[in-house]
Amino acid sequence: MHTMDHSYTSMPEPLQCTGSLDSRELRFSRAMVFAVEEINNSSDLLPGVTLGYQVHDSCSSVPMAVKVAFQLANGMDPMFDTGEQCSGSATVTAIVGESGSSPTISMLRIIGPLGIPQVSHFSTCACLSDKKQYPTFFRTIPSDQFQAAALAHLVRHFGWTWIGAVRSDSDYGNNGMAAFLQAAQEEGICVEYSEAFYRTNPLSRVQWVADVIRSSTARVVVAFTAIGDMRILLREMDRLPSPPRQWIGSETWVTDPDMLRFGLCAGAIGFAIQRSVIPGLRDFLMDLSPQKVSNSPLLTEFWEGAFGCRLGKGVGVEEKVCDGSEDIQQLQVPYTDTSQLRVTNMVYKAVYAIAHAIHSIVCEERENSTVNCDKSLNVKPTQVLERLRRVNFSRNGYQVSFDANGDPVATYELVNWQIGESGKMEFVTVGRYDASLPLDQRLDMEREITWVKNSTQVPVSVCSESCPPGTRKAIQKGKPVCCYDCIQCAEGEISNNTDSSDCLICPEEYWPNAERDRCILKPVEFLSFHEVLGIILTACSVGGACLAIATATVFYRHRTSAIVRANNSELSFLLLFSLTLCFLCSLTFIGRPSEWSCMLRHTAFGITFVLCISCVLGKTIVVLMAFRATLPGSNAMKWFGLPQQRLTVVFFTFVQALICTLWLALSPPFPIKNLTTYKEKIILECDVGSAIGFWAVLGYIGLLSLLCFVLAFLARKLPDNFNEAKFITFSMLIFCAVWITFIPAYVSSPGKFTVAVEIFAIITSSFWLFFVLFVPKCFIILFRPEKNTKKHLMEKTSNDVHYYEILRGTNIVTFSYMVYYTVR
């Protein structure tokens, strides 16, 4: 139709169709005539009842459709009919059509209030399912709501997340594309552009749409357009070189044979109505002769256009007159092409649906299975409308029924444009879609698809490449959600799917692998006997214990020698025994922590070290009291003889044992999994339970060490031959330094190194006591036996006389205890 300017000062020109006749639409109308004649000849459906019909050409124009609606409502101006006079009301009982959604909507605004049912074979706009606006509308073709969902499912199935969209600027295109965009958004598909145009728009608008498609980065284009609009767009696309695009078509144009001439759409895919077979239809369509054609203006226009001649006498001199030699069998036009009967079958089913509705009104079955129909009954449109809602039958293997919205069950074939063996483009069914099935079963692929440029590889159309497992998507600012950067998951997080929006935090005892695509158990760490550090510490511990035992053996074998006798052998043996335990108690800190090992390691360490320090303290007190007795004959030493020394050791050790007992009874140490020091591994360690108990044990050891150091310091100015107090002072000084240093190192050391620091402090302090107090004596015993005599020990200088007299005057065997044998 062309646009006319109205001055409103004179009568407008009569509406007329412009352009050529669409032979495909003519086939639809002829299929309706075929169905009516088939019903009229049927003995099962409406036997004895003859259906009449009128055929009107709306020219795919809304104004013409409105005119036709008034004609049908008034029962006027038939363009051709069966030639029989029909009784009854002049108002039609039902209407089949229209092919376009916009003309159909216009018609429904007029005939809807009259209650006249309209069954469309090709109006797919989802808006027509609104029964509040269009209560008299039915259709045998599925709604675009289903097609839009199917197209979105198809796009997502092939992994296209970045597409372009074009549509007809009509009810069909706008509503269909709106439904598709909503479904696409739910599927996570992004649209780079969405352009609308109409065939009556200026050419510049079509050029603009074509340029947008050419310059876009999306390689997939979804076209929800009418046939006429798509034809204009593809002509424009053909005019200039265009990059290859994968076309996804709506049902309206993707199965139109006339569109196959556009080679740039090779590989196009789209959903189509199921191909069907209508027995006898082809013979009916081909049963045309100049005599039959001349009775119908529509058929006359088709015949003259197809054969390029004029029926009757030619008007012009050069015009060719049809002479009857024209053979319709040789025509290659959509009218004669019955290989793809898709929408044609929708027309056929629409006619039968109306016939079944009328049959249920005028006919009834009797007991002997005969059907009796009342020919005189005046059927009203409202009656047919009511019965159409309950129609349910099968014809040629195809089920016909309507849901509450007047829509049929949505089933489609997936059609692919492929180049056949003959080199021509053809439709190939490659899959099926059934909206009644579960979502994951709706699309069934049956054959391999040939894509754009005759490729067998699925084209890629994405804004950003997929993010692999181990990463997450970060949306690019100002762009659609499909445009993103891939960011590696943060520490402690994983993503095990492609294109993850978020990373998942691993459970507490798990940690991501290097690729951060799965959580693996964290390695468990503790100071083991099998690792290098554990082996070194174990060797030092066992070596120290062996040295202490060896020293005790040497002392025992030389127990009658002067040095051993003068060294207070009982405290020395006890000190060596405690040192052995100190060395060995460090072994309890190595190995996998358990409930018993946690309690044993701290209590064993605390008690053995107090036993050791108590022995050294006893030695120190003996030295101090022996050399602080200022008068000969003083009996001060009798108050600190052997019984008192033993009691001192037992008392100090008992206090530590009591502290440990209370600690174990109230809040004992226990094994824990430390998950906070290191994020990537688990540290098995012992929790001290009660911090007060732990620091009380260490504090008590420190207190005794400090007391021993102070007493030894007071005895530091003894004669050179009696200078063991100086070495006790030195040993206690280093001992205290080690343990003072231990506190910050213990607190700050991570994981298993906390245990290693404690073991190091134990072994170091034990070795220091051992080396300072026993190595010099062993050296004299083993390598300087000439100095291991009473005479040598009693040698004195002028500075030693006073102290020697003191020792002699005490008359105690242990006087010489404090004598130190200086190796000269």
Side-chain angles (χ1 to χ4, degrees):
M1 291 295 296
H2 65 276
T3 303
M4 294 183 294
D5 295 326
H6 299 286
S7 62
Y8 300 101
T9 59
S10 60
M11 290 293 292
E13 297 178 7
L15 293 174
Q16 293 181 351
C17 292
T18 59
S20 60
L21 180 69
D22 188 338
S23 63
R24 187 188 186 207
E25 291 287 341
L26 179 62
R27 188 180 72 209
F28 295 162
S29 67
R30 292 287 290 164
M32 184 198 75
V33 175
F34 170 76
V36 170
E37 292 186 2
E38 193 176 59
I39 293 168
N40 288 340
N41 295 325
S42 172
S43 59
D44 297 323
L45 184 62
L46 292 173
V49 177
T50 302
L51 297 179
Y53 60 87
Q54 294 178 346
V55 178
H56 295 260
D57 186 4
S58 67
C59 307
S60 299
S61 165
V62 170
M64 283 296 291
V66 171
K67 176 185 175 182
V68 168
F70 281 116
Q71 291 173 342
L72 293 174
N74 294 322
M76 296 172 58
D77 193 20
M79 296 200 68
F80 69 87
D81 55 27
T82 60
E84 299 182 9
Q85 296 296 322
C86 297
S87 62
S89 172
T91 304
V92 296
T93 305
I95 298 173
V96 176
E98 216 267 358
S99 292
S101 295
S102 293
T104 298
I105 292 172
S106 302
M107 293 179 66
L108 286 169
R109 300 295 186 192
I110 298 169
I111 64 172
L114 301 178
I116 301 175
Q118 181 173 349
V119 184
S120 176
H121 58 281
F122 212 9
S123 297
T124 56
C125 179
C127 58
L128 290 168
S129 297
D130 186 356
K131 284 301 160 188
K132 291 183 179 180
Q133 293 193 61
Y134 313 108
T136 63
F137 179 75
F138 300 85
R139 54 184 157 198
T140 52
I141 190 170
S143 164
D144 281 340
Q145 188 70 36
F146 299 105
Q147 185 180 189
L151 287 172
H153 186 84
L154 178 70
V155 170
R156 188 60 189 174
H157 175 78
F158 291 111
W160 300 320
T161 57
W162 187 241
I163 64 170
V166 293
R167 67 186 186 278
S168 294
D169 194 5
S170 62
D171 292 297
Y172 167 73
N174 292 329
N175 285 280
M177 184 56 71
F180 169 76
L181 293 179
Q182 181 178 356
Q185 184 179 15
E186 294 172 358
E187 293 280 0
I189 301 166
C190 297
V191 179
E192 183 181 4
Y193 59 87
S194 180
E195 298 292 337
F197 69 99
Y198 196 63
R199 57 181 173 272
T200 58
N201 289 152
L203 182 60
S204 59
R205 177 60 190 171
V206 181
Q207 291 174 342
W208 165 265
V209 175
D211 289 339
V212 169
I213 296 173
R214 293 189 188 103
S215 61
S216 68
T217 58
R219 296 187 59 190
V220 174
V221 183
V222 176
F224 223 108
T225 60
I227 297 173
D229 300 334
M230 194 65 188
R231 188 179 294 114
I232 293 173
L233 176 62
L234 292 181
R235 284 175 186 164
E236 177 59 30
M237 293 291 294
D238 250 348
R239 188 175 63 85
L240 295 174
S242 301
R245 292 289 182 262
Q246 178 62 50
W247 291 90
I248 311 297
S250 60
E251 199 283 332
T252 307
W253 69 268
V254 82
T255 55
D256 187 349
D258 184 54
M259 304 297 288
L260 293 175
R261 57 192 172 96
F262 295 103
L264 63 90
C265 287
I269 58 174
F271 288 108
I273 303 304
Q274 286 182 304
R275 186 168 57 178
S276 57
V277 176
I278 303 177
L281 176 62
R282 178 171 177 79
D283 294 336
F284 178 81
L285 294 176
M286 298 302 172
D287 186 19
L288 291 179
S289 63
Q291 293 74 23
K292 292 182 179 179
V293 168
S294 59
N295 293 330
S296 167
L298 286 177
L299 290 177
T300 299
E301 183 180 352
F302 163 70
W303 190 274
E304 292 178 346
F307 293 108
C309 62
R310 301 279 296 182
L311 286 171
K313 295 182 179 181
V315 178
V317 177
E318 297 181 356
E319 285 186 324
K320 179 183 177 182
V321 178
C322 301
D323 56 7
S325 63
E326 297 81 18
D327 186 4
I328 195 173
Q329 300 285 346
Q330 303 300 320
L331 278 181
Q332 298 293 325
V333 292
Y335 175 83
T336 61
D337 182 9
T338 57
S339 63
Q340 298 283 334
L341 294 180
R342 299 179 188 275
V343 181
T344 305
N345 191 44
M346 301 297 104
V347 179
Y348 185 76
K349 292 198 295 186
V351 175
Y352 266 87
I354 295 173
H356 274 271
I358 297 174
H359 180 91
S360 65
I361 297 171
V362 303
C363 301
E364 61 178 5
E365 289 190 15
R366 298 190 174 180
E367 295 180 358
N368 56 359
S369 299
T370 59
V371 179
N372 183 37
C373 298
D374 187 356
K375 302 179 183 180
S376 62
L377 186 64
N378 186 13
V379 179
K380 297 180 180 179
T382 52
Q383 292 177 294
V384 178
L385 174 64
E386 179 61 30
R387 296 303 175 96
L388 272 173
R389 296 191 177 103
R390 293 177 286 180
V391 161
N392 191 345
F393 65 94
S394 179
R395 182 67 184 174
N396 293 337
Y398 304 105
Q399 190 69 25
V400 180
S401 63
F402 303 106
D403 62 14
N405 296 322
D407 294 324
V409 176
T411 56
Y412 298 99
E413 288 181 352
L414 182 60
V415 174
N416 182 211
W417 290 20
Q418 296 184 8
I419 299 176
E421 296 179 357
S422 62
K424 294 183 178 180
M425 198 89 70
E426 58 185 29
F427 301 123
V428 178
T429 300
V430 294
R432 301 186 184 279
Y433 183 90
D434 189 344
S436 64
L437 297 176
L439 185 61
D440 58 342
Q441 301 176 17
R442 291 179 181 177
L443 183 61
D444 180 25
M445 303 302 298
E446 299 175 349
R447 293 182 58 177
E448 186 176 358
I449 296 176
T450 299
W451 302 102
V452 61
K453 298 181 69 174
N454 206 32
S455 172
T456 56
Q457 295 294 324
V458 179
V460 177
S461 185
V462 294
C463 182
S464 301
E465 293 296 331
S466 295
C467 290
T471 62
R472 64 174 179 84
K473 296 191 295 186
I475 306 300
Q476 295 176 2
K477 189 175 181 180
K479 292 188 177 181
V481 294
C482 299
C483 301
Y484 47 80
D485 297 316
C486 297
I487 307 297
Q488 188 178 36
C489 288
E491 213 175 46
E493 298 180 349
I494 64 145
S495 65
N496 51 12
N497 294 319
T498 302
D499 288 335
S500 295
S501 299
D502 295 297
C503 295
L504 306 174
I505 300 176
C506 287
E508 249 189 345
E509 297 188 9
Y510 288 79
W511 189 253
N513 60 352
E515 293 76 21
R516 299 192 181 181
D517 58 1
R518 62 188 180 95
C519 293
I520 57 176
L521 274 172
K522 291 180 180 179
V524 177
E525 184 179 88
F526 55 89
L527 188 58
S528 168
F529 286 103
H530 304 292
E531 60 182 293
V532 175
L533 182 58
I535 292 172
I536 293 173
L537 293 175
T538 301
C540 292
S541 175
V542 174
C546 291
L547 285 176
I549 294 172
T551 302
T553 303
V554 171
F555 269 49
Y556 181 77
R557 293 188 62 181
H558 298 84
R559 60 186 179 277
T560 58
S561 64
I563 286 182
V564 176
R565 289 171 60 86
N567 200 45
N568 195 339
S569 57
E570 186 171 328
L571 280 181
S572 295
F573 282 116
L574 188 57
L575 179 57
L576 286 169
F577 172 71
S578 64
L579 282 173
T580 303
L581 294 180
C582 287
F583 282 120
L584 294 178
C585 79
S586 62
L587 297 178
T588 62
F589 290 82
I590 305 175
R592 190 182 189 92
S594 63
E595 187 174 346
W596 285 104
S597 67
C598 286
M599 291 189 292
L600 179 62
R601 62 173 59 172
H602 289 102
T603 53
F605 155 69
I607 293 173
T608 55
F609 256 79
V610 165
L611 177 61
C612 179
I613 299 303
S614 299
C615 294
V616 177
L617 183 60
K619 281 175 169 283
T620 306
I621 294 173
V622 169
V623 171
L624 186 62
M625 295 190 68
F627 287 94
R628 289 299 178 184
T630 56
L631 296 175
S634 173
N635 61 355
M637 286 300 298
K638 74 178 182 179
W639 299 108
F640 205 73
L642 286 177
Q644 288 80 9
Q645 295 171 25
R646 294 170 186 158
L647 185 61
T648 300
V649 172
V650 171
F651 174 75
F652 286 137
T653 306
F654 174 76
V655 172
Q656 181 74 307
L658 182 61
I659 294 173
C660 291
T661 302
L662 292 175
W663 182 16
L664 295 179
L666 298 177
S667 182
F670 57 91
I672 62 166
K673 293 179 179 179
N674 185 345
L675 303 172
T676 57
T677 303
Y678 293 106
K679 295 179 180 178
E680 71 279 4
K681 57 186 175 182
I682 300 173
I683 305 298
L684 290 184
E685 60 186 18
C686 291
D687 189 284
V688 296
S690 170
I692 296 176
F694 174 73
W695 291 110
V697 168
L698 290 183
Y700 185 66
I701 295 174
L703 179 63
L704 292 184
S705 302
L706 182 62
L707 178 61
C708 185
F709 170 74
V710 170
L711 293 179
F713 181 77
L714 294 177
R716 69 190 184 283
K717 294 184 179 180
L718 296 178
D720 290 343
N721 277 15
F722 306 96
N723 62 356
E724 189 172 24
K726 294 182 180 180
F727 286 89
I728 292 177
T729 303
F730 185 53
S731 65
M732 285 297 102
L733 179 64
I734 300 301
F735 182 90
C736 292
V738 168
W739 285 100
I740 291 173
T741 307
F742 157 78
I743 294 174
Y746 178 83
V747 172
S748 61
S749 297
K752 64 182 180 181
F753 297 105
T754 304
V755 177
V757 166
E758 192 166 359
I759 296 174
F760 179 78
I762 293 172
I763 293 176
T764 302
S765 55
S766 299
F767 266 116
W768 190 257
L769 286 174
F770 173 77
F771 278 112
V772 170
L773 297 180
F774 291 101
V775 169
K777 299 178 181 65
C778 289
F779 182 80
I780 291 178
I781 293 173
L782 298 176
F783 301 106
R784 295 289 189 271
E786 67 277 7
K787 294 185 178 182
N788 188 10
T789 61
K790 184 177 180 181
K791 178 182 179 182
H792 177 75
L793 295 178
M794 291 302 182
E795 287 180 354
K796 56 186 179 298
T797 63
S798 57
N799 294 328
D800 300 333
V801 173
H802 178 67
Y803 298 102
Y804 177 75
E805 292 295 333
I806 293 174
L807 287 172
R808 189 180 65 172
T810 57
N811 199 27
I812 298 177
V813 177
T814 57
F815 301 162
S816 58
Y817 161 77
M818 296 310 301
V819 178
Y820 189 78
Y821 354 88
T822 305
V823 180
R824 302 186 184 274

